[in-house]
Amino acid sequence: MKRVVFNQKGGVGKTSITCNLAAISAARGYRTLVVDLDVQGNTTHYLVGEIDAEAFPAEAQGVAALFKQTVGSRKMRQNPDSFVWETPWENLFLLPSSPVLNQLEKELESRYKIYKLRDALNKLDSEYDRIYIDTPPNFNFYSKSALIAADTVLVPFDCDSFARQSLYSLMDNIAELQEDHNPELEVEGIVINQFNSQARLPGELVTELEEEGYLICGTYLSTSVKMKESHRDHRPLIDLAPGHKLTGQFVDLYEELEAGRG
Ligand SMILES: Nc1ncnc2c1ncn2[C@@H]1O[C@H](COP(=O)(O)OP(=O)(O)OP(=O)(O)O)[C@@H](O)[C@H]1O
Ligand SMILES: [Mg+2]
């Protein structure tokens, strides 16, 4: 099962949601892989901290190495699992990002490598119970590759009126990609993040989106400084603060999505 978390708007919670849902999945005993497709590498940093550039040269890292080997000799190709790293948590694995993703993008695009991630993740699908994919805040080669590779997509929304504007073009982009490349892709819903129940505007925005026919996940995530502490300490919330309100909301969201899988 491959789930991508995508919104082309920056800072809406893609990385926080990907990593925390994946960590809950791993804690429940599922072998879980997180794929970091964002050159910013926030997911990689969140889950494994600073990377020793000498031990792991940029080109030899995770997702970049996986894409790189699709260009050139077929003989040298390694199993995608050889680019996967362990994390400090049982059952949680990472296909890390790399700073060379930017340089690689044009070449991959010009050589029509848009289906290569799908091929690689289809191979890994039997090794992992759940695959979560974090994406960059752009509708670029990597996020398109992810939407083509995934079974489902979750769209974080941070209750800001600019986010609403970009949501319309985002949903159009997803619909076009579904039609052209991945008709099986299921839009699981919009995840309301940083919801403030005390303020009037967020509730109004969500109601309007529902009236416009968008599918909204029933569990809303609130704002908490625990999220920033969790990033700073490189510990997902289920490990850092299992009893915290925001952790409980992530668990509820996780269960809602699992139940939806039928
Ligand atoms: N529920 C939350 N409560 C408090 N802070 C949050 C919450 N969700 C996200 N944040 C904060 O908002 C910022 C952006 O979050 P995050 O990195 O997850 O978003 P993103 O969509 O992945 O960003 P980018 O588009 O840059 O990849 C981070 O500083 C994070 O700590
Ligand atoms: Mg991110």
Side-chain angles (χ1 to χ4, degrees):
M1 210 291 302
K2 298 169 254 103
R3 171 179 288 127
V4 57
V5 180
F6 178 58
N7 189 327
Q8 59 212 26
K9 183 169 183 283
V12 293
K14 294 180 284 298
T15 298
S16 305
I17 291 169
T18 308
C19 294
N20 281 289
L21 290 179
I24 293 167
S25 160
R28 294 277 162 102
Y30 294 112
R31 239 177 106 79
T32 304
L33 174 67
V34 181
V35 181
D36 186 0
L37 285 179
D38 185 0
V39 70
Q40 296 181 95
N42 292 342
T43 277
T44 301
H45 192 244
Y46 187 11
L47 296 181
V48 297
E50 295 302 331
I51 294 169
D52 178 351
E54 272 185 35
F56 301 101
E59 302 218 341
Q61 276 173 37
V63 126
L66 187 148
F67 274 114
K68 223 172 167 352
Q69 70 164 2
T70 69
V71 179
S73 168
R74 299 176 64 87
K75 282 193 200 134
M76 305 294 284
R77 289 190 192 165
Q78 297 175 33
N79 186 312
D81 215 16
S82 62
F83 304 115
V84 171
W85 292 4
E86 290 184 350
T87 73
W89 297 278
E90 201 180 349
N91 296 319
L92 190 62
F93 299 86
L94 172 70
L95 199 45
S97 165
S98 154
V100 301
L101 286 176
N102 265 351
Q103 291 152 245
L104 269 181
E105 186 174 358
K106 275 214 166 65
E107 185 179 11
L108 293 170
E109 215 157 21
S110 67
R111 290 172 177 250
Y112 305 104
K113 301 293 182 183
I114 199 85
Y115 295 106
K116 292 298 176 185
L117 184 71
R118 182 186 68 184
D119 296 347
L121 296 189
N122 280 345
K123 281 195 187 131
L124 292 173
D125 211 16
S126 56
E127 308 281 324
Y128 297 91
D129 302 310
R130 307 278 185 279
I131 299 178
Y132 286 82
I133 313 169
D134 188 21
T135 50
N138 300 299
F139 193 54
N140 68 5
F141 172 83
Y142 297 111
S143 48
K144 285 178 199 164
S145 292
L147 289 162
I148 289 173
D151 303 310
T152 69
V153 53
L154 272 184
V155 177
F157 176 77
D158 65 357
C159 302
D160 157 317
S161 51
F162 291 132
R164 181 178 169 181
Q165 284 313 310
S166 72
L167 197 65
Y168 298 124
S169 62
L170 167 65
M171 289 309 196
D172 284 348
N173 285 340
I174 292 178
E176 190 177 336
L177 182 133
Q178 272 174 316
E179 196 178 302
D180 293 345
H181 301 282
N182 188 3
E184 309 282 303
L185 179 70
E186 178 200 341
V187 181
E188 279 181 297
I190 293 168
V191 179
I192 306 300
N193 186 28
Q194 305 230 41
F195 186 72
N196 177 356
S197 57
Q198 308 296 317
R200 205 161 47 94
L201 184 68
E204 285 175 3
L205 277 174
V206 174
T207 307
E208 283 167 22
L209 288 176
E210 270 172 337
E211 284 168 2
E212 287 169 23
Y214 289 104
L215 199 62
I216 314 274
C217 293
T219 313
Y220 300 175
L221 302 170
S222 47
T223 303
S224 166
V225 71
K226 267 284 172 257
M227 184 65 92
K228 297 197 192 292
E229 286 176 32
S230 156
H231 287 183
R232 182 200 60 197
D233 296 348
H234 310 291
R235 289 173 66 188
L237 288 166
I238 194 72
D239 177 52
L240 178 73
H244 193 271
K245 177 181 161 196
L246 182 57
T247 314
Q249 292 167 346
F250 270 107
V251 169
D252 290 347
L253 176 63
Y254 173 83
E255 282 171 358
E256 180 186 338
L257 297 171
E258 286 287 308
R261 294 176 70 233

